[in-house]
Amino acid sequence: MLFTGRRRPLGTLALMTTLMSTLLAALPAHSENRIDTQRPDAPELAAYGSHEVGTRPLTLTNPDQINVLALDASVEAPDPLPTYDRELVVQMWYPSYPGATGSKTLRAFLRDPTIEVDLQGQATLWAAPVTNTEPFPLVIVSHGYPGNRFLLSHLAENIASKGYVVASIDHTDSTYRTQAAFGSTLRNRSLDQIFVLNEMARLNADPASFLHGLIDTDNTAVIGYSMGGYGAVITAGGGVTAASVDYGFSPPYGTLGIHLSGSDTHNNLPDPRIKTAIAFAPWGRNTGFWDAESLKGVQIPMLFVAGSADDVSLYEGGVRDIWEESVNIDRALLTFENANHNAAAPYPAPAESYAVSNILGYAPFGHYADAVWDTVRMNNIAQHFSTAWLDRYLKNDADKQAYLELIPDSNDGVYATGDDGSFTDEHTYWKGFEARSAKGLMFEWLKAGESAE
């Protein structure tokens, strides 16, 4: 969802603008904005994997889609409804041959869509993918509203280094530079995710594609943040309520009904190739897009990630309710205590985001950062748990279950070792976390059929 910020008095705004302009004038023309930082206290599975990583954009076109922006609710619905060819830019991250040379800098627009910045990571642009290997599971990444395909790039390239192909979508009408009517986002998020999955399968089978033979699309996960998380819940089987189809900000003429819980169109949507999903701060339960009955439709194991102080998607009455009410699946909830809506998902705020934007009226910094938690710290924790979750559910790596079977409150963990340094029976500390580093977190499980107490 849109981060609004609090407007300051003009005098304060002018002073801050002057100060930040002076500060930024001292910075290089293009600041180094790392997306791959690993703190010394990063949990074990946050570390980059054994694969070098390549990245490149693709442009895909989904033909004959309903053009939500052309619908006018003030007049009678035309028959047929207007359609268009929906173009999506997708950024790919994938295991590449060692020693690839080339740029490791991505160019990305900020929340202020007039500002373009450099992002530095470990992936090499246009590097050749590995060949003569078993295909890698697919992870589809879906950003917030507004956002872009680079918003979760810290996670995308980290996952790719561990033997995954990642496809991160620029959702048309939802990016910083294409932000338009919210109804388009509501209708298209899940449809975009399924379309990209189908395109990955097509390109994997195409001898002329650089993706030929690289992807195991039968083992796919969806990772979504905010509105991307909304889409992930729908893709997982959580149909929307009848009331939400008729909301004033939903797309006109009942066109959100394609995702209506219990409808034929939604019942046909869940795809057996998608084995699991991870949803960061999924939006929708807070505004009645789901209820306890419709969330019974969620069909695949899910990991939910949230800040306990989320004021956009909400925690109680929002993300936590989605986790509790998806009763027919195994599901976990990772909570960052006192974090807000940006918990763990966005990359660290670029240096260029610190200045107050004349367009927004506030610093774009707040779109990426949290008032309590360090972003790199949250990113590392997200990389750790995402790795454990994806390895467990896409690669059937049973050893990763130990990183997910934890005492709920990290603060209750006891770090206990004997004289030889081995853990004793009293040891209950979160696996993969160094002593004194698992703090301020909750990790809770509910199995299929279980309800929260």
Side-chain angles (χ1 to χ4, degrees):
M1 286 296 286
L2 177 65
F3 172 84
T4 57
R6 181 177 296 173
R7 295 188 179 274
R8 299 174 175 86
L10 287 178
T12 303
L13 181 60
L15 176 61
M16 289 186 64
T17 301
T18 300
L19 291 173
M20 292 309 303
S21 296
T22 301
L23 173 62
L24 291 175
L27 295 173
H30 295 293
S31 300
E32 183 173 73
N33 301 303
R34 305 299 311 186
I35 61 171
D36 60 347
T37 303
Q38 295 276 303
R39 284 176 35 142
D41 60 355
E44 178 185 349
L45 300 182
Y48 274 68
S50 61
H51 294 279
E52 293 193 18
V53 180
T55 184
R56 65 179 72 181
L58 286 176
T59 299
L60 306 174
T61 302
N62 193 2
D64 299 323
Q65 298 303 294
I66 290 178
N67 187 355
V68 173
L69 301 187
L71 304 183
D72 182 356
S74 67
V75 300
E76 186 176 348
D79 186 16
L81 294 176
T83 62
Y84 72 130
D85 293 342
R86 181 172 170 82
E87 186 175 283
L88 302 174
V89 178
V90 177
Q91 193 74 24
M92 303 299 303
W93 281 269
Y94 48 87
S96 66
Y97 274 111
T101 59
S103 173
K104 297 182 185 296
T105 297
L106 300 170
R107 295 286 287 164
F109 285 96
L110 289 186
R111 176 65 184 84
D112 179 334
T114 67
I115 301 175
E116 193 174 14
V117 301
D118 289 345
L119 303 175
Q120 285 80 24
Q122 297 191 17
T124 303
L125 278 164
W126 304 105
V130 295
T131 56
N132 299 320
T133 183
E134 291 296 316
F136 301 102
L138 174 66
V139 179
I140 296 170
V141 176
S142 195
H143 62 73
Y145 175 87
N148 63 26
R149 65 189 189 273
F150 301 115
L151 192 59
L152 281 75
S153 54
H154 71 91
L155 185 57
E157 72 165 28
N158 184 284
I159 291 170
S161 77
K162 296 161 181 172
Y164 293 90
V165 174
V166 180
S168 185
I169 307 169
D170 255 1
H171 291 279
T172 301
D173 305 333
S174 285
T175 72
Y176 303 127
R177 292 172 64 81
T178 66
Q179 182 180 355
F182 191 46
S184 175
T185 293
L186 291 171
R187 176 182 166 85
N188 286 310
R189 277 311 175 96
S190 182
L191 300 180
D192 288 349
Q193 293 165 2
I194 296 296
F195 167 70
V196 168
L197 171 57
N198 289 333
E199 285 294 279
M200 292 298 105
R202 178 183 68 82
L203 292 170
N204 185 67
D206 182 357
S209 170
F210 79 99
L211 294 172
H212 179 238
L214 193 66
I215 314 172
D216 178 8
T217 52
D218 286 336
N219 281 302
T220 295
V222 175
I223 297 179
Y225 166 50
S226 194
M227 292 310 299
Y230 157 89
V233 173
I234 291 176
T235 299
V240 302
T241 62
S244 67
V245 173
D246 297 324
Y247 286 167
F249 53 84
S250 292
Y253 312 133
T255 50
L256 188 61
I258 192 173
H259 302 313
L260 178 63
S261 177
S263 66
D264 290 341
T265 50
H266 184 68
N267 288 342
N268 292 331
L269 179 66
D271 193 304
R273 294 172 295 179
I274 299 176
K275 299 300 193 292
T276 191
I278 302 174
F280 291 80
W283 182 93
R285 183 65 178 88
N286 51 308
T287 51
F289 274 76
W290 298 294
D291 56 22
E293 187 61 31
S294 65
L295 287 168
K296 291 179 181 178
V298 176
Q299 299 177 14
I300 54 177
M302 290 193 67
L303 169 61
F304 298 95
V305 182
S308 67
D310 190 332
D311 61 7
V312 175
S313 296
L314 301 187
Y315 185 68
E316 301 290 350
V319 182
R320 190 173 181 87
D321 283 21
I322 301 173
W323 169 69
E324 291 179 347
E325 294 170 351
S326 298
V327 295
N328 289 321
I329 59 165
D330 292 351
R331 68 272 193 207
L333 174 64
L334 171 64
T335 302
F336 290 79
E337 294 291 347
N338 297 313
N340 207 314
H341 187 60
N342 295 341
Y347 59 73
E352 295 88 343
S353 72
Y354 283 51
V356 174
S357 161
N358 291 330
I359 291 177
L360 302 176
Y362 56 85
F365 172 86
H367 181 76
Y368 307 90
D370 185 76
V372 175
W373 283 78
D374 173 66
T375 300
V376 174
R377 173 66 173 157
M378 291 194 293
N379 288 169
N380 291 166
I381 292 170
Q383 292 154 7
H384 170 86
F385 279 105
S386 295
T387 299
W389 192 268
L390 295 174
D391 284 359
R392 175 66 184 86
Y393 286 101
L394 291 188
K395 295 182 177 180
N396 296 314
D397 183 351
D399 290 341
K400 292 302 192 299
Q401 188 67 27
Y403 295 88
L404 302 170
E405 294 292 350
L406 309 170
I407 62 170
D409 190 336
S410 66
N411 294 352
D412 292 338
V414 175
Y415 199 94
T417 59
D419 293 339
D420 62 354
S422 62
F423 295 129
T424 68
D425 292 342
E426 290 74 30
H427 183 82
T428 59
Y429 215 72
W430 281 18
K431 184 173 175 60
F433 284 75
E434 295 181 356
R436 306 175 68 198
S437 70
K439 299 295 179 183
L441 298 163
M442 296 284 293
F443 194 87
E444 302 169 89
W445 270 100
L446 284 173
K447 302 298 184 182
E450 290 181 350
S451 298
E453 295 179 359

